[in-house]
Amino acid sequence: MLTFFLMAAIFVPLIGSFLCLVFPKKVRDWWSVGIIAASFLFLLFLIGPILNGKVLQVDILSTPGNYFAFSLFADGISLVFALIFSFIGLVALVYSLSYMKDYENQREYYFMTSLMIASLLGISFSRNLILFYIFWEIAALATWRLVGFYREERIVWIADKTFLMTFLGSSFMLMGFTLLYVKSGTLDIVQLRGFTTDNLNVIFFLIFLGIIAKSAILPIHTWLSDAHPVAPSPMSAILSGVEVEVGLLGFLRIFAWMGGISWNWILSLAVISSLIGAGAALLEKDIKKIIAYSTVSQVGYILLGFALLKEIGILAGLLYFMVHAIAKAGLFLGAGVVERRYGTRDITRLGGLMKTSPVFGIGFLFSAFSIAGLPPFGGFYAKLMVVMGTVQEGHFWVATLAIVAAVFTLLYLFRLFNGIFMGKEVKTSQTKPGRLLVGCVVFLGIISLIIGIFIGQILGLPGAAVAQMFK
């Protein structure tokens, strides 16, 4: 029965997404919400067994030569990422029901969004690296179409840039997979775990290029700050909340879990990327660009935890992945509410929204507090654990820069909140956003708070994932 839940979690949204192309509008929108909700529900049934140490493996199709197999592998790491991918996708689609209702090309929008979530789940559970790559590229294609959703010439150019930069990285990654097959004779991650041979550093460096391109790590990060301002807000929530972070899953699965390989310079790259992203966010005026550069910064923090290859670092990285995905989705959906209300994203032309929409303001503030790492929000525990793990490993200057990046994060989020919600009220002729839009933002803000309050229970699944990894 568990294998059914695992396969259904992937195939229901994968096959169901294509039906969005044929269903009429009244069915299509809710159908996309339904298939992602069903996928999330199927994943919930896997939590208990995996908490008890069970690992699921399903072989659906294999080819001679051991280079490709449609085989699935579910452990704690897979499930943590898959649950967040489907949860954020579900909230973004519910938000879309109101936000996207007046736009053209909705058929493509719901198809591509559902397909993207399905492909991210496929990446989470892929046991074969070629299958992993196939789902990786499906997600990239869906990203390309959704970033360019509004079809203007400049927007299409940015969408093309997004695709080409990430595709360049994934081409290097595929090259690394090919060389790994030549060396090992297999691309099965279970069989490859602990595999050693000469010249692996070159292979893993090629794979790492694909990971940092997808995750918008310095220096391959510029596409993200261009893509967010032109993409629909629910797409931005998925892009920063889950799509970018699938690269971190690749690092954790291939480098930490499978290969046990990391280099000290990755720690330096991660913290410098975090610092520069935070610095850029301090200088921007566009809400979405501020939040986009925040993603560059926070993804660097998560990579820093993973690259330590220690239990405390990986546990901190998993926790912060969860915290960041939820809170960052809340901020981007909040940006959509502000833009819908005022017709602008320039924080110098905004203000006073707390007076007219206090509930929305509190929901937005909770997400900001979580990203900033203020107690009792979940981000506080995650960032503290990353810094503690870095100090324990003797990387004092890296820990110092990580603390500076955290201070920068607090400053730019205060500037963002102050520019939107505080000060003199800005008059607008725009209609107020619907309750559904505001409700999604408030919901994610409350979840951000709940994670911190019930941190012991929330750490159960990530803790089990780390225990499986190091036993």
Side-chain angles (χ1 to χ4, degrees):
M1 194 65 179
L2 293 177
T3 57
F4 167 79
F5 291 140
L6 174 58
M7 290 189 293
I10 299 172
F11 283 108
V12 166
L14 185 63
I15 297 172
S17 64
F18 287 90
L19 296 178
C20 292
L21 296 173
V22 297
F23 282 154
K25 184 181 186 306
K26 291 183 179 180
V27 176
R28 178 183 60 236
D29 303 0
W30 283 101
W31 171 259
S32 63
V33 172
I35 57 176
I36 302 303
S39 180
F40 180 69
L41 182 62
F42 290 133
L43 293 173
L44 292 178
F45 286 108
L46 302 180
I47 294 177
I50 287 180
L51 277 174
N52 292 326
K54 190 173 184 61
V55 174
L56 303 177
Q57 299 186 47
V58 181
D59 295 314
I60 300 173
L61 174 70
S62 60
T63 58
N66 210 25
Y67 65 90
F68 174 74
F70 200 119
S71 54
L72 306 176
F73 177 82
D75 62 354
I77 293 172
S78 303
L79 189 58
V80 168
F81 278 88
L83 282 168
I84 295 298
F85 291 162
S86 57
F87 176 73
I88 298 301
L90 177 59
V91 176
L93 280 168
V94 171
Y95 182 95
S96 299
L97 295 174
S98 175
Y99 189 89
M100 301 300 297
K101 64 181 180 180
D102 296 326
Y103 292 107
E104 298 180 357
N105 304 315
Q106 289 191 43
R107 191 184 307 275
E108 181 186 11
Y109 173 82
Y110 285 102
F111 164 59
M112 285 294 177
T113 303
S114 303
L115 182 64
M116 174 185 285
I117 301 303
S119 65
L120 295 176
L121 296 175
I123 293 170
S124 301
F125 293 115
S126 291
R127 178 173 165 174
N128 178 273
L129 290 177
I130 295 299
L131 181 65
F132 178 95
Y133 174 79
I134 290 170
F135 280 123
W136 183 284
E137 291 297 12
I138 292 173
L141 286 169
T143 301
W144 170 56
R145 297 300 296 178
L146 290 170
V147 169
F149 177 78
Y150 294 124
R151 301 292 197 275
E152 296 175 14
E153 184 177 351
R154 173 178 164 273
I155 293 175
V156 170
W157 184 89
I158 291 173
D160 291 344
K161 174 186 176 182
T162 297
F163 176 76
L164 290 173
M165 290 187 71
T166 54
F167 179 73
L168 176 64
S170 62
S171 297
F172 284 117
M173 184 174 71
L174 182 60
M175 192 184 304
F177 290 166
T178 303
L179 293 175
L180 187 60
Y181 176 75
V182 171
K183 291 282 187 179
S184 65
T186 183
L187 288 175
D188 186 302
I189 62 171
V190 175
Q191 295 176 19
L192 283 168
R193 192 174 190 189
F195 174 77
T196 57
T197 188
D198 296 333
N199 300 322
L200 273 182
N201 283 347
V202 174
I203 293 172
F204 277 90
F205 180 73
L206 291 171
I207 296 171
F208 186 70
L209 290 177
I211 288 169
I212 64 173
K214 178 73 81 172
S215 293
I217 297 289
L218 199 77
I220 316 176
H221 67 288
T222 58
W223 64 267
L224 189 66
S225 58
D226 289 336
H228 274 302
V230 302
S233 286
M235 170 54 191
S236 288
I238 297 173
L239 184 59
S240 266
V242 296
E243 165 69 4
V244 166
E245 293 179 351
V246 77
L248 298 171
L249 168 60
F251 181 87
L252 183 58
R253 178 63 81 196
I254 297 170
F255 280 72
W257 185 88
M258 190 182 82
I261 292 176
S262 185
W263 304 291
N264 284 340
W265 61 264
I266 294 182
L267 299 176
S268 302
L269 177 66
V271 76
I272 291 171
S273 184
S274 182
L275 197 59
I276 290 177
L282 271 170
L283 301 176
E284 283 292 342
K285 297 179 181 179
D286 184 297
I287 298 174
K288 277 194 169 185
K289 282 207 168 190
I290 293 171
I291 306 173
Y293 279 119
S294 173
T295 296
V296 174
S297 180
Q298 306 314 312
V299 167
Y301 238 97
I302 301 170
L303 178 61
L304 177 60
F306 287 166
L308 291 171
L309 296 188
K310 299 296 181 180
E311 290 188 42
I312 186 172
I314 293 175
L315 181 61
L318 284 172
L319 175 61
Y320 199 46
F321 155 70
M322 298 166 64
V323 167
H324 175 261
I326 292 168
K328 190 55 63 68
L331 293 181
F332 271 117
L333 296 184
V337 172
V338 173
E339 186 177 17
R340 183 63 57 88
R341 174 74 181 270
Y342 291 106
T344 181
R345 297 194 303 265
D346 187 339
I347 60 172
T348 63
R349 299 169 57 191
L350 297 169
L353 191 54
M354 198 69 176
K355 296 176 182 177
T356 56
S357 302
V359 174
F360 168 58
I362 291 171
F364 191 93
L365 185 63
F366 280 3
S367 292
F369 278 169
S370 190
I371 296 293
L374 296 179
F377 293 85
F380 167 75
Y381 302 98
K383 286 191 173 182
L384 181 62
M385 290 165 64
V386 169
V387 173
M388 287 173 57
T390 307
V391 171
Q392 286 178 9
E393 293 303 304
H395 303 289
F396 298 106
W397 76 270
V398 174
T400 301
L401 291 180
I403 293 171
V404 173
V407 173
F408 280 6
T409 301
L410 184 62
L411 292 175
Y412 69 68
L413 287 175
F414 172 78
R415 175 172 170 262
L416 176 65
F417 183 83
N418 184 68
I420 298 172
F421 293 96
M422 308 308 291
K424 185 178 180 180
E425 183 180 353
V426 175
K427 301 297 182 182
T428 177
S429 59
Q430 305 283 337
T431 58
K432 287 187 177 182
R435 292 181 180 179
L436 182 61
L437 303 186
V438 173
C440 289
V441 178
V442 174
F443 173 68
L444 291 173
I446 292 172
I447 295 295
S448 297
L449 177 60
I450 289 173
I451 289 175
I453 294 174
F454 297 97
I455 189 66
Q457 291 78 9
I458 297 297
L459 280 173
L461 185 58
V466 174
Q468 284 179 339
M469 184 173 173
F470 284 92
K471 71 177 180 180

